[in-house]
Amino acid sequence: MRGKAKIVNSQDDARVANLTDEIIIEMATISVRYDDAFYPENYDKSLKEGDDGYIEPIERFENEIDQSVLERFGVNV
């Protein structure tokens, strides 16, 4: 059985699909990973855990809105 997925590429498509600004903002929200660890200037990023000189990453995740999606659908926040 095949689905009936529609591709939404424009403001007109979003209007036909009854997408509200709130739904578009939710769909445009992505989780971005940052590494806050300090690494020396010539740090070898190919080192693996357990290798001599390896520095453990300090990961931080933040939700951010992909502005290009908002622009595509004409949403202003």
Side-chain angles (χ1 to χ4, degrees):
M1 181 171 145
R2 299 187 86 174
K4 294 186 178 187
K6 303 284 187 210
I7 296 174
V8 180
N9 283 319
S10 68
Q11 291 179 25
D12 290 337
D13 294 341
R15 190 171 25 262
V16 169
N18 294 319
L19 297 180
T20 64
D21 287 356
E22 291 79 18
I23 293 171
I24 293 169
I25 291 169
E26 183 179 328
M27 292 186 326
T29 302
I30 57 176
S31 182
V32 179
R33 179 180 63 191
Y34 295 96
D35 183 356
D36 291 337
F38 172 76
Y39 298 97
E41 187 174 320
N42 293 323
Y43 180 72
D44 181 359
K45 295 247 178 179
S46 68
L47 292 174
K48 304 290 182 216
E49 188 173 352
D51 291 346
D52 190 36
Y54 172 76
I55 297 175
E56 185 77 28
I58 302 172
E59 294 182 337
R60 169 177 49 94
F61 292 87
E62 290 191 16
N63 288 332
E64 296 182 6
I65 297 174
D66 184 340
Q67 293 298 317
S68 66
V69 173
L70 300 185
E71 290 170 10
R72 176 184 296 164
F73 297 113
V75 176
N76 297 314
V77 280

